[in-house]
Amino acid sequence: CLCAWCGACTGGGQRRRRRPQRHMRWSWAMLLTICLRTVKPFNPLAVAGLQPSLKARQWTAARTHGTALYATEAGHRKQALVIVESPAKARTIQKFLDEKEYTVDFCLGHIRDLARARSVPKHLKKNKYCSIGVDVPNDFTPLYVELSGKEEVVKRLKKSLGHHEELILATDEDREGEAISWHLLQVLAPPESMPIKRAVFHEITRPAITEAFNSPRELDQHLVAAQETRRILDRLAGFT
């Protein structure tokens, strides 16, 4: 059919004698292109009646849509939701933990900060100090707002938290990491009956992760207060 449509190989004596092989190669290339465009790609798993593993499907969804790294199956509640700061760290730590009991997710750093003039929510606009994010007359009370672009992260973490029985905050051990964990607690608002643990480690190795999860501690409110005080001073007096 392609040769009849083209006519290059059968259209005349000179053309047929000079370049028959070239046009035959072109015809076969066209035939192969049409087949590749119209025939469904070969899938050995489908032929064998198999499906990709749940882990493979979940990681594909995570890379494509930014969903939780290990989504919980419907009707199954895992033991603990572990929250770290970066996706790379989440992937590594998940290898050291039982996937059936732990879900390691990430928050991408801070999810809240002091309000700014261009990002003041409606419920804070009545406060004349909202533009600097600190209510100075009211004992320097910080006015926090969720950071722009973190809505999907918060939504994902809240949904994932509902499928777990325990929350483990595994952000960095410095005051910034402690503040991130505290803000996560304020935003996610887990039920009072849910156990909250703080896991800290200085290296991402199997022994260090195992030790951190076997000996968790509570959130250090002194570190949280130190970070909050420094943040308020930065806003009022500038960075030093």
Side-chain angles (χ1 to χ4, degrees):
C1 295
L2 287 173
C3 289
W5 171 75
C6 173
C9 299
T10 60
Q14 293 296 326
R15 297 178 65 183
R16 183 171 63 253
R17 287 194 297 271
R18 290 182 178 179
R19 297 181 296 179
Q21 293 182 352
R22 174 182 176 184
H23 288 284
M24 286 300 294
R25 287 197 299 267
W26 181 87
S27 300
W28 281 111
M30 284 292 297
L31 179 62
L32 180 60
T33 303
I34 294 174
C35 290
L36 291 177
R37 287 180 176 272
T38 57
V39 179
K40 295 180 63 176
F42 175 71
N43 186 351
L45 291 177
V47 173
L50 302 176
Q51 293 292 334
S53 65
L54 176 63
K55 179 178 179 180
R57 296 197 306 269
Q58 289 165 345
W59 275 104
T60 302
R63 292 193 301 268
T64 306
H65 305 292
T67 55
L69 295 182
Y70 286 90
T72 307
E73 296 184 53
H76 175 67
R77 292 177 64 88
K78 293 188 180 181
Q79 179 65 25
L81 171 64
V82 182
I83 301 179
V84 297
E85 295 184 34
S86 70
K89 188 180 295 184
R91 288 192 295 268
T92 304
I93 295 176
Q94 183 70 77
K95 299 177 183 178
F96 303 144
L97 301 175
D98 186 358
E99 297 177 8
K100 297 181 180 179
E101 298 298 330
Y102 295 92
T103 299
V104 184
D105 211 332
F106 55 90
C107 64
L108 298 175
H110 283 279
I111 62 173
R112 290 204 311 176
D113 195 11
L114 298 177
R116 290 181 175 272
R118 61 177 180 271
S119 61
V120 178
K122 293 181 179 180
H123 68 278
L124 292 179
K125 287 186 177 181
K126 296 181 180 180
N127 192 320
K128 66 179 182 179
Y129 294 95
C130 62
S131 60
I132 60 174
V134 182
D135 192 351
V136 177
N138 190 18
D139 199 19
F140 294 92
T141 302
L143 305 175
Y144 289 113
V145 295
E146 291 186 19
L147 291 175
S148 177
K150 291 300 182 72
E151 297 83 4
E152 291 298 325
V153 174
V154 173
K155 181 180 179 180
R156 187 187 74 239
L157 293 176
K158 284 184 176 180
K159 182 178 180 179
S160 182
L161 186 62
H163 297 287
H164 295 79
E165 300 176 355
E166 185 179 1
L167 176 60
I168 300 179
L169 302 168
T171 53
D172 295 345
E173 194 178 8
D174 55 10
R175 63 187 181 191
E176 293 295 328
E178 208 76 15
I180 291 173
S181 293
W182 181 77
H183 285 296
L184 285 170
L185 281 181
Q186 305 303 309
V187 174
L188 299 181
E192 296 182 0
S193 58
M194 176 176 289
I196 309 296
K197 298 180 181 179
R198 178 80 168 94
V200 295
F201 42 85
H202 301 283
E203 59 182 21
I204 307 178
T205 59
R206 187 178 297 274
I209 298 301
T210 302
E211 181 181 357
F213 280 78
N214 288 337
S215 56
R217 62 170 174 82
E218 295 183 355
L219 199 65
D220 191 341
Q221 295 295 339
H222 295 291
L223 281 178
V224 175
Q227 191 275 342
E228 185 175 74
T229 303
R230 175 58 188 266
R231 191 72 188 93
I232 293 174
L233 287 175
D234 288 341
R235 182 59 62 87
L236 296 178
F239 296 96
T240 57

